[in-house]
Amino acid sequence: MPFAHLEDRAIILVSGPEAEHFLQNILTVDLDTLEDGEVKPGALLAPQGKILFDFLISRAGPETFRLECRADVAADFHRRLLLYKLRAKAEITKPEQVVVTVAWQADSAGSDNDSTALRDMRFAAGNVTRDYGAAGEGGDIEAWQAFRIAHGVAESGLDYQLGDAFPHDVLLDQVGGVGFAKGCYVGQEVVSRMQHRGTARRRVLIATADSPLPAPGTELTVEGRPVGTLGSVSGSHGLAIARIDRVKSAIDAGKSILAGDVPVTLAIPGWAKFTFPEDATSSEGA
């Protein structure tokens, strides 16, 4: 299996008799559905519903949860968790920096990794694992980024900025990162309203071009009007967060969508359950 070492990640451990109850009350992910051997995405939101921190969470032993996040925001995330802890019987620690090893397969065959590898549930085929043990040599980080882009899996810093996106924008609602059946958590009211009213219009899409795409952050436009922003790029493929109503209007009208001056095609990831709006013109100005 191809693999890569991710040296820009950090780990926060939350343990204790009330660790699960504490996290369940503040995070988007439903821990009742988190099984051993799985890694699930989630977020800690602002009260207004936007993502303050994104992470991958897994069970790391009895009454212990492992939260993997970006190394550059780990200290802030750790402080924010401590702020919410209050009197909960839980210990929140930030161990020494670890190297995360990710491995993947191009098909849906089972993984041959050892028992320490955990399945990354963001990937529908079940062919991606993460390991928090010691890192070996080698690996191909560029191949990993290309694989992630091809599967439409967005990450903060690379595809969107923290504090600037709702969970629906980055497909957390599509990959098990939001528990709609669980009780309240920080920002829950806004996220539930978007879900039940179907008002999510910004979505992650896969961008494809006939030539290399421009740099991440490049604006996507239709006849000079912005429709979204380019995120991660790997050659002629990339991710974008765009207004799906405006994209659908452009497709229906046969208008070019440009990333800078490069024509692109925008598509919904094949595993996603949302669709382009049928009547994009009526909601485009909203």
Side-chain angles (χ1 to χ4, degrees), residues 10-14 23 27 55-58 65-69 77 81:
I11 298 298
I12 295 173
L13 295 177
V14 181
L23 293 174
L27 305 179
F55 55 83
L56 295 169
I57 189 168
S58 54
F65 292 85
R66 178 195 300 109
L67 287 82
E68 176 201 331
C69 64
F77 189 20
L81 291 172

PDB file of all heavy atoms in Angstrom, residues 10-14 23 27 55-58 65-69 77 81:
ATOM      1  N   ALA A  10      -0.922  16.964  15.182  1.00  0.00           N
ATOM      2  CA  ALA A  10      -0.684  16.861  16.616  1.00  0.00           C
ATOM      3  C   ALA A  10      -1.814  16.068  17.255  1.00  0.00           C
ATOM      4  O   ALA A  10      -2.885  15.881  16.661  1.00  0.00           O
ATOM      5  CB  ALA A  10      -0.577  18.247  17.246  1.00  0.00           C
ATOM      6  N   ILE A  11      -1.566  15.605  18.469  1.00  0.00           N
ATOM      7  CA  ILE A  11      -2.532  14.780  19.194  1.00  0.00           C
ATOM      8  C   ILE A  11      -2.904  15.454  20.512  1.00  0.00           C
ATOM      9  O   ILE A  11      -2.050  15.982  21.216  1.00  0.00           O
ATOM     10  CB  ILE A  11      -1.949  13.377  19.488  1.00  0.00           C
ATOM     11  CG1 ILE A  11      -1.646  12.638  18.183  1.00  0.00           C
ATOM     12  CG2 ILE A  11      -2.913  12.567  20.354  1.00  0.00           C
ATOM     13  CD1 ILE A  11      -2.857  12.386  17.322  1.00  0.00           C
ATOM     14  N   ILE A  12      -4.189  15.429  20.821  1.00  0.00           N
ATOM     15  CA  ILE A  12      -4.694  15.832  22.134  1.00  0.00           C
ATOM     16  C   ILE A  12      -5.448  14.640  22.703  1.00  0.00           C
ATOM     17  O   ILE A  12      -6.274  14.036  22.013  1.00  0.00           O
ATOM     18  CB  ILE A  12      -5.613  17.059  22.031  1.00  0.00           C
ATOM     19  CG1 ILE A  12      -4.823  18.280  21.560  1.00  0.00           C
ATOM     20  CG2 ILE A  12      -6.285  17.346  23.383  1.00  0.00           C
ATOM     21  CD1 ILE A  12      -5.680  19.493  21.273  1.00  0.00           C
ATOM     22  N   LEU A  13      -5.159  14.286  23.951  1.00  0.00           N
ATOM     23  CA  LEU A  13      -5.830  13.169  24.608  1.00  0.00           C
ATOM     24  C   LEU A  13      -6.795  13.702  25.664  1.00  0.00           C
ATOM     25  O   LEU A  13      -6.450  14.593  26.446  1.00  0.00           O
ATOM     26  CB  LEU A  13      -4.813  12.244  25.273  1.00  0.00           C
ATOM     27  CG  LEU A  13      -3.838  11.501  24.345  1.00  0.00           C
ATOM     28  CD1 LEU A  13      -2.842  10.696  25.169  1.00  0.00           C
ATOM     29  CD2 LEU A  13      -4.595  10.601  23.379  1.00  0.00           C
ATOM     30  N   VAL A  14      -7.998  13.150  25.662  1.00  0.00           N
ATOM     31  CA  VAL A  14      -9.001  13.489  26.665  1.00  0.00           C
ATOM     32  C   VAL A  14      -9.396  12.188  27.346  1.00  0.00           C
ATOM     33  O   VAL A  14      -9.892  11.255  26.698  1.00  0.00           O
ATOM     34  CB  VAL A  14     -10.234  14.166  26.038  1.00  0.00           C
ATOM     35  CG1 VAL A  14     -11.237  14.530  27.122  1.00  0.00           C
ATOM     36  CG2 VAL A  14      -9.822  15.403  25.244  1.00  0.00           C
ATOM     37  N   LEU A  23     -17.048  15.543  25.917  1.00  0.00           N
ATOM     38  CA  LEU A  23     -16.850  15.775  24.488  1.00  0.00           C
ATOM     39  C   LEU A  23     -18.169  15.711  23.718  1.00  0.00           C
ATOM     40  O   LEU A  23     -18.383  16.479  22.777  1.00  0.00           O
ATOM     41  CB  LEU A  23     -15.864  14.745  23.933  1.00  0.00           C
ATOM     42  CG  LEU A  23     -14.422  14.855  24.438  1.00  0.00           C
ATOM     43  CD1 LEU A  23     -13.587  13.694  23.926  1.00  0.00           C
ATOM     44  CD2 LEU A  23     -13.806  16.185  24.034  1.00  0.00           C
ATOM     45  N   LEU A  27     -18.815  18.792  20.928  1.00  0.00           N
ATOM     46  CA  LEU A  27     -18.341  18.509  19.578  1.00  0.00           C
ATOM     47  C   LEU A  27     -19.490  18.114  18.645  1.00  0.00           C
ATOM     48  O   LEU A  27     -20.531  17.623  19.093  1.00  0.00           O
ATOM     49  CB  LEU A  27     -17.308  17.376  19.596  1.00  0.00           C
ATOM     50  CG  LEU A  27     -16.105  17.567  20.512  1.00  0.00           C
ATOM     51  CD1 LEU A  27     -15.188  16.348  20.427  1.00  0.00           C
ATOM     52  CD2 LEU A  27     -15.349  18.855  20.181  1.00  0.00           C
ATOM     53  N   PHE A  55     -10.929  18.181  13.360  1.00  0.00           N
ATOM     54  CA  PHE A  55     -10.068  17.136  13.910  1.00  0.00           C
ATOM     55  C   PHE A  55     -10.561  15.777  13.442  1.00  0.00           C
ATOM     56  O   PHE A  55     -11.643  15.637  12.852  1.00  0.00           O
ATOM     57  CB  PHE A  55     -10.081  17.186  15.447  1.00  0.00           C
ATOM     58  CG  PHE A  55     -11.470  17.113  16.024  1.00  0.00           C
ATOM     59  CD1 PHE A  55     -12.113  15.894  16.207  1.00  0.00           C
ATOM     60  CD2 PHE A  55     -12.159  18.275  16.356  1.00  0.00           C
ATOM     61  CE1 PHE A  55     -13.408  15.831  16.713  1.00  0.00           C
ATOM     62  CE2 PHE A  55     -13.447  18.228  16.867  1.00  0.00           C
ATOM     63  CZ  PHE A  55     -14.065  16.998  17.048  1.00  0.00           C
ATOM     64  N   LEU A  56      -9.769  14.748  13.762  1.00  0.00           N
ATOM     65  CA  LEU A  56     -10.164  13.356  13.604  1.00  0.00           C
ATOM     66  C   LEU A  56     -10.098  12.732  14.991  1.00  0.00           C
ATOM     67  O   LEU A  56      -9.103  12.897  15.705  1.00  0.00           O
ATOM     68  CB  LEU A  56      -9.227  12.629  12.640  1.00  0.00           C
ATOM     69  CG  LEU A  56      -9.265  13.121  11.195  1.00  0.00           C
ATOM     70  CD1 LEU A  56      -8.117  12.525  10.388  1.00  0.00           C
ATOM     71  CD2 LEU A  56     -10.595  12.780  10.552  1.00  0.00           C
ATOM     72  N   ILE A  57     -11.150  12.028  15.379  1.00  0.00           N
ATOM     73  CA  ILE A  57     -11.230  11.489  16.734  1.00  0.00           C
ATOM     74  C   ILE A  57     -11.320   9.973  16.712  1.00  0.00           C
ATOM     75  O   ILE A  57     -11.945   9.374  15.829  1.00  0.00           O
ATOM     76  CB  ILE A  57     -12.438  12.103  17.493  1.00  0.00           C
ATOM     77  CG1 ILE A  57     -12.397  11.709  18.965  1.00  0.00           C
ATOM     78  CG2 ILE A  57     -13.764  11.736  16.846  1.00  0.00           C
ATOM     79  CD1 ILE A  57     -13.379  12.487  19.831  1.00  0.00           C
ATOM     80  N   SER A  58     -10.677   9.341  17.687  1.00  0.00           N
ATOM     81  CA  SER A  58     -10.710   7.882  17.806  1.00  0.00           C
ATOM     82  C   SER A  58     -10.615   7.510  19.281  1.00  0.00           C
ATOM     83  O   SER A  58     -10.232   8.323  20.127  1.00  0.00           O
ATOM     84  CB  SER A  58      -9.552   7.248  17.025  1.00  0.00           C
ATOM     85  OG  SER A  58      -8.311   7.805  17.418  1.00  0.00           O
ATOM     86  N   PHE A  65      -9.960   9.369  24.644  1.00  0.00           N
ATOM     87  CA  PHE A  65     -10.175   9.735  23.251  1.00  0.00           C
ATOM     88  C   PHE A  65      -8.952  10.470  22.717  1.00  0.00           C
ATOM     89  O   PHE A  65      -8.335  11.273  23.417  1.00  0.00           O
ATOM     90  CB  PHE A  65     -11.419  10.620  23.110  1.00  0.00           C
ATOM     91  CG  PHE A  65     -12.700   9.893  23.404  1.00  0.00           C
ATOM     92  CD1 PHE A  65     -13.157   9.773  24.709  1.00  0.00           C
ATOM     93  CD2 PHE A  65     -13.437   9.307  22.386  1.00  0.00           C
ATOM     94  CE1 PHE A  65     -14.328   9.085  24.995  1.00  0.00           C
ATOM     95  CE2 PHE A  65     -14.602   8.614  22.663  1.00  0.00           C
ATOM     96  CZ  PHE A  65     -15.053   8.503  23.963  1.00  0.00           C
ATOM     97  N   ARG A  66      -8.618  10.157  21.477  1.00  0.00           N
ATOM     98  CA  ARG A  66      -7.502  10.784  20.779  1.00  0.00           C
ATOM     99  C   ARG A  66      -8.056  11.743  19.738  1.00  0.00           C
ATOM    100  O   ARG A  66      -8.835  11.350  18.869  1.00  0.00           O
ATOM    101  CB  ARG A  66      -6.641   9.720  20.102  1.00  0.00           C
ATOM    102  CG  ARG A  66      -5.481  10.259  19.296  1.00  0.00           C
ATOM    103  CD  ARG A  66      -4.899   9.199  18.370  1.00  0.00           C
ATOM    104  NE  ARG A  66      -4.396   8.027  19.074  1.00  0.00           N
ATOM    105  CZ  ARG A  66      -4.976   6.825  19.057  1.00  0.00           C
ATOM    106  NH1 ARG A  66      -6.119   6.639  18.377  1.00  0.00           N
ATOM    107  NH2 ARG A  66      -4.449   5.802  19.698  1.00  0.00           N
ATOM    108  N   LEU A  67      -7.692  13.007  19.827  1.00  0.00           N
ATOM    109  CA  LEU A  67      -8.111  14.002  18.839  1.00  0.00           C
ATOM    110  C   LEU A  67      -6.883  14.427  18.046  1.00  0.00           C
ATOM    111  O   LEU A  67      -5.948  15.015  18.602  1.00  0.00           O
ATOM    112  CB  LEU A  67      -8.752  15.223  19.508  1.00  0.00           C
ATOM    113  CG  LEU A  67     -10.162  15.007  20.085  1.00  0.00           C
ATOM    114  CD1 LEU A  67     -10.085  14.369  21.473  1.00  0.00           C
ATOM    115  CD2 LEU A  67     -10.911  16.326  20.183  1.00  0.00           C
ATOM    116  N   GLU A  68      -6.882  14.119  16.767  1.00  0.00           N
ATOM    117  CA  GLU A  68      -5.781  14.494  15.871  1.00  0.00           C
ATOM    118  C   GLU A  68      -6.171  15.789  15.154  1.00  0.00           C
ATOM    119  O   GLU A  68      -7.237  15.879  14.545  1.00  0.00           O
ATOM    120  CB  GLU A  68      -5.535  13.393  14.849  1.00  0.00           C
ATOM    121  CG  GLU A  68      -4.472  13.761  13.822  1.00  0.00           C
ATOM    122  CD  GLU A  68      -4.569  12.933  12.552  1.00  0.00           C
ATOM    123  OE1 GLU A  68      -5.034  11.779  12.629  1.00  0.00           O
ATOM    124  OE2 GLU A  68      -4.196  13.451  11.481  1.00  0.00           O
ATOM    125  N   CYS A  69      -5.308  16.785  15.235  1.00  0.00           N
ATOM    126  CA  CYS A  69      -5.603  18.068  14.613  1.00  0.00           C
ATOM    127  C   CYS A  69      -4.342  18.642  13.977  1.00  0.00           C
ATOM    128  O   CYS A  69      -3.262  18.049  14.049  1.00  0.00           O
ATOM    129  CB  CYS A  69      -6.167  19.047  15.642  1.00  0.00           C
ATOM    130  SG  CYS A  69      -4.998  19.479  16.964  1.00  0.00           S
ATOM    131  N   PHE A  77      -6.403  24.823  20.374  1.00  0.00           N
ATOM    132  CA  PHE A  77      -7.465  23.840  20.550  1.00  0.00           C
ATOM    133  C   PHE A  77      -7.430  23.288  21.972  1.00  0.00           C
ATOM    134  O   PHE A  77      -8.469  23.154  22.641  1.00  0.00           O
ATOM    135  CB  PHE A  77      -7.290  22.724  19.522  1.00  0.00           C
ATOM    136  CG  PHE A  77      -8.429  21.749  19.439  1.00  0.00           C
ATOM    137  CD1 PHE A  77      -9.697  22.062  19.902  1.00  0.00           C
ATOM    138  CD2 PHE A  77      -8.232  20.486  18.872  1.00  0.00           C
ATOM    139  CE1 PHE A  77     -10.750  21.153  19.822  1.00  0.00           C
ATOM    140  CE2 PHE A  77      -9.275  19.575  18.776  1.00  0.00           C
ATOM    141  CZ  PHE A  77     -10.522  19.899  19.264  1.00  0.00           C
ATOM    142  N   LEU A  81     -10.484  23.564  24.772  1.00  0.00           N
ATOM    143  CA  LEU A  81     -11.069  22.412  25.458  1.00  0.00           C
ATOM    144  C   LEU A  81     -11.001  22.590  26.976  1.00  0.00           C
ATOM    145  O   LEU A  81     -11.955  22.271  27.694  1.00  0.00           O
ATOM    146  CB  LEU A  81     -10.355  21.127  25.033  1.00  0.00           C
ATOM    147  CG  LEU A  81     -10.589  20.663  23.589  1.00  0.00           C
ATOM    148  CD1 LEU A  81      -9.674  19.499  23.253  1.00  0.00           C
ATOM    149  CD2 LEU A  81     -12.047  20.269  23.364  1.00  0.00           C
TER     150      LEU A  81
END
